[in-house]
Amino acid sequence: MLVTIFALMLAAVFCGQSLQACSLALHDWKLIFYRKIPVTVPFFPLSELDVATARLERAGFARVFWVGSHNFISAVAPAFLPLFADKAAGLPWAAVDSGPSLMAMARENYCPGEGPLIIGSDGNYIKIALFADQNSGFGCMQLVVQQTGRIRAVHPDTKTPWAQETNGSSWLSLIFYQLPVPGRILSFSAYPVQKNRHSIYEDHSYVETLLNQRILKRRPDLVVDPYRFDFPELPE
Amino acid sequence: MRRCKNILLLLSFFVAAVPLLASGETFRAVDFERLLQKHPLMRKYDPETGRFKETRSEIIPVAKLQERIASISAAIAACENEKSELVLATMNSGDSVSEAHAWERIGQIDRQLAELKTGLQTEQSLLADEGVPGYDKLLEIAGQIYHETILPEIATGVLLLNKLPRFVATPPRPAGNDLRHFFYSCNGEVLEKYLTQAGKIALMFEKTDQPILYSSDRGVSDAKKQ
């Protein structure tokens, strides 16, 4: 009995090391630059897409009204949604300027048949952070652009009217060595895409070269989750 | 030839041990079994299952899990119904004050729903493993015991030698994904390092199945006394 517990204790010691890693390299990210900018509306509705897809899996709707004080970028952003594989990305998204409340809009669209999903957000911020990897002598860097905000959605479904309030968070991450220029980019990824981090670009051969030159620290072979790519939590 | 080998082995022991003994450094055996027995969590240890009762490592009967899942599912449905009725009432009222109150309540329900759904997911995955929690739950407890028993013994300046005693352990009943988890999580480097030193340790100590503390300070309390 005690022998088993002792063996488990040893295992606890060996397994208790926290790791921040990409698929090949082991990073130790240190925040070196951070800016938080308030915005009226997210530039790209990735979190909104996530909420819409989750709702679509439970109840049908024909289109999405994305409500907010739109700028040029956010007004054209829905046109790029079909590039994503999320279920709700295939529906028509209309960028609607905020006027009446979401509930008032829902009331106007409350009728039999598949009504729209009305979604908007407030308290929106763009967070820009630059991390440097201590394990590579601060040569490897990660640029993160994160959008946060409080998302509210209403679905005026005649069978089961529905609303949700949630904190949205979406980000883009660019990992590069020394400069963010072609040839030095290790990976480019986005979150959330189908509820997960999605790798848009990865240069494994470049990562391998940096590992062989001992510029990057190689990740130990036996790690719990070899596909963990995250960055430390950004300040509020 | 064999005699020569033995003499060489003996000499190698003196080469390592004499300078240490001459400088006043100490080796002492540690009775970790006794230390473990004294830990309060050990009272909850169930030798039959190899797990700790009333902790997250405990095996839960399948029927009990099904009961819990049914209860959480009912709570989720009740929350969803309340929200649905609230949305309908708010849409019909058209009053901005009641709308603000409604959103406040919707936020509360959503937070509650998020907790319930997380709980449901945990219970469902436990049910998929027939009520046997993963080794990670056991490791949490083992880690706590380790921090509270062994760490104080290996305070500054004290080295724990031979911390992988050579004994055969009967493992507790594993959960479905535990084998995969074990192979992906153990730090092979540490084990390999130990194994490369195991031969040297065996030369110095007769019983390599006994953990030993090495200290350069004679004032360190003897673990044997505990």
Side-chain angles (χ1 to χ4, degrees), chain A residues 1-6 8-10 13-14 17 58 101 103 107 110 152 161 163-165 222-224, chain B residues 42 45 80 83-84 87-88 91 94 99 103 110 139 142 146 163-165 167 170 183-184 186-187 190:
Chain A
M1 172 187 84
L2 288 165
V3 161
T4 306
I5 292 174
F6 192 79
L8 277 167
M9 290 198 312
L10 293 171
V13 175
F14 296 141
Q17 298 169 8
R58 298 185 58 204
S101 70
M103 286 290 182
R107 189 166 47 249
Y110 185 64
R152 282 176 170 176
Q164 190 184 55
E165 183 181 285
L222 303 168
V223 171
V224 179
Chain B
M42 287 308 297
Y45 185 73
E80 296 282 13
K83 208 161 69 158
S84 192
V87 173
L88 188 62
M91 278 197 307
E99 197 173 307
W103 276 116
D110 282 332
L139 290 175
Y146 172 83
K163 66 176 175 179
L164 286 179
F167 45 49
T170 312
F183 282 116
Y184 277 95
C186 272
N187 191 334
V190 178

Side-chain angles (χ1 to χ4, degrees), chain B residues 23-77:
Chain B
S23 59
E25 287 136 342
T26 53
F27 293 97
R28 61 196 169 90
V30 189
D31 191 346
F32 281 133
E33 286 201 6
R34 208 183 286 177
L35 280 176
L36 282 177
Q37 292 280 22
K38 285 172 70 179
H39 197 281
L41 272 171
M42 287 308 297
R43 283 186 218 123
K44 294 183 178 178
Y45 185 73
D46 178 5
E48 275 184 29
T49 58
R51 285 158 188 276
F52 295 85
K53 288 173 184 168
E54 298 159 29
T55 68
R56 295 205 299 162
S57 76
E58 190 179 20
I59 296 174
I60 315 284
V62 169
K64 199 173 178 182
L65 274 175
Q66 285 167 336
E67 207 177 287
R68 279 193 208 170
I69 287 170
S71 157
I72 298 174
S73 302
I76 289 173

Side-chain angles (χ1 to χ4, degrees), chain A residues 3-159:
Chain A
V3 161
T4 306
I5 292 174
F6 192 79
L8 277 167
M9 290 198 312
L10 293 171
V13 175
F14 296 141
C15 303
Q17 298 169 8
S18 68
L19 297 166
Q20 289 276 327
C22 76
S23 62
L24 292 169
L26 180 71
H27 301 290
D28 183 8
W29 296 117
K30 303 288 176 200
L31 186 66
I32 56 169
F33 172 83
Y34 176 68
R35 271 287 178 280
K36 183 180 175 184
I37 306 159
V39 288
T40 53
V41 69
F43 289 110
F44 203 80
L46 266 183
S47 296
E48 285 77 358
L49 178 61
D50 194 45
V51 170
T53 299
R55 178 61 185 162
L56 193 58
E57 282 163 3
R58 298 185 58 204
F61 51 88
R63 58 196 188 280
V64 181
F65 292 159
W66 181 29
V67 182
S69 304
H70 290 286
N71 50 42
F72 175 72
I73 299 172
S74 69
V76 298
F80 295 93
L81 282 176
L83 295 173
F84 292 84
D86 290 76
K87 217 172 163 187
L91 297 175
W93 281 61
V96 178
D97 273 324
S98 50
S101 70
L102 295 186
M103 286 290 182
M105 283 185 76
R107 189 166 47 249
E108 285 166 19
N109 288 280
Y110 185 64
C111 52
E114 287 188 335
L117 180 79
I118 300 154
I119 195 162
S121 61
D122 60 4
N124 297 300
Y125 286 95
I126 299 284
K127 296 175 175 178
I128 301 166
L130 185 65
F131 294 96
D133 175 23
Q134 193 168 23
N135 288 345
S136 67
F138 299 103
C140 179
M141 294 186 171
Q142 180 173 195
L143 177 68
V144 175
V145 180
Q146 187 180 40
Q147 295 180 142
T148 58
R150 184 180 63 175
I151 297 174
R152 282 176 170 176
V154 189
H155 184 203
D157 183 29
T158 43
K159 282 182 197 163

